[in-house]
């Protein structure tokens, strides 16, 4: 089955650090990948749609200069949380959908638990 | 009105029980449907796609009712390990962004 790899799974760092998270589709091509954030006991919240070869599309209220997205190839998207602060601590999850058909399901990475001290 | 709605629960059932969840969607142009399962502090995992004719995978049965615009998930012979949040996801024609329900929490107790 389709596999999405997300790395790292856990990050603990000081306030002001920038953190880069990678999302790879391992056995399929994904023109579009999605980045979500989830706070404890809350629903997944879509942050942005990552588009290969073009700019990401950000949801309302998500700062594009804070959350930099790069989708350099059909199998890799990265999210960089710049100058992270404690309020950015959350569970970040990426997902990707196989380009082969409109009715394909999304597959999620394992998520990255980010803790900013 | 939300595009995809689910009863948040929790549904609290004993082991062995049969439990069913519904998920309603508002956009009649919706074209593909899925159920995901999310365990606490984990990523969502695809449980099953939902086909027009209905489909079954072991103890799980998914159905689609286009006329009433809802999908359902039936779990038979519940196990303790079925405890999780079940997310309904809808792909709408003309949109590449999947729409999530907020999830239904299931607790299976001994």
């Amino acid at each position: 089955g389709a596999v999405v790899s997300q790395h790292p799974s856990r990050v603990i760092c000081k306030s002001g650090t920038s953190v880069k998270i990678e999302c790879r589709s391992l056995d399929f091509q994904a023109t579009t990948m999605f980045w979500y954030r989830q706070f404890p006991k809350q629903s997944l919240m879509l942050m942005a749609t990552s588009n290969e070869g073009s700019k990401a599309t950000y949801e309302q209220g998500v700062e594009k200069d804070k959350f930099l997205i790069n989708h350099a190839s059909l199998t890799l998207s990265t999210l960089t949380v710049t100058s992270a602060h404690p309020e950015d601590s959350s569970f970040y999850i990426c997902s990707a959908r196989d380009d082969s058909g409109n009715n394909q399901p999304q597959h999620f990475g394992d998520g990255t638990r980010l803790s900013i001290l | 009105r939300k595009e995809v709605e689910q009863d948040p629960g929790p549904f609290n059932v004993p082991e062995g029980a049969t439990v069913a969840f519904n998920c309603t969607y508002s956009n009649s142009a919706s074209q593909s449907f899925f159920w995901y399962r999310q365990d606490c502090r984990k990523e969502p995992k695809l449980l099953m796609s939902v086909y027009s004719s209905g489909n079954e995978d072991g103890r799980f049965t998914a159905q689609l009712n286009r006329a009433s615009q809802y999908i359902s998930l039936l779990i038979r012979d519940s196990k303790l390990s079925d405890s999780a949040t079940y997310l309904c996801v809808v792909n709408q024609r003309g949109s590449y962004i999947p729409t999530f329900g907020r999830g239904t929490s299931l607790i299976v107790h001994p």
Side-chain angles (χ1 to χ4, degrees), chain A residues 32 34 36 38 43-44 46 49 51 57 59 91 93 97 102-110 113, chain B residues 31-32 34 36 38 40-46 49 87 89 91 95-98 100-103:
Chain A
T32 303
F34 303 96
Y36 296 86
Q38 188 173 36
S43 305
L44 283 173
L46 179 66
T49 303
N51 305 299
T57 306
E59 295 300 299
F91 188 44
I93 316 173
R97 191 164 63 196
N102 289 334
N103 294 330
Q104 295 292 324
Q106 289 185 87
H107 296 279
F108 288 84
D110 290 344
R113 200 159 299 281
Chain B
Q31 63 179 24
S32 54
F34 309 93
Y36 285 76
Q38 185 175 23
C40 187
R41 296 171 67 83
K42 296 281 191 180
E43 80 282 10
K45 290 189 190 294
L46 179 66
S49 302
L87 300 166
V89 179
N91 288 347
S95 172
Y96 54 82
I97 300 178
F100 279 76
R102 294 177 66 86

Side-chain angles (χ1 to χ4, degrees), chain A residues 83-98:
Chain A
S83 187
H85 292 285
E87 60 267 27
D88 298 322
S89 299
S90 187
F91 188 44
Y92 292 84
I93 316 173
C94 73
S95 73
R97 191 164 63 196
D98 193 323

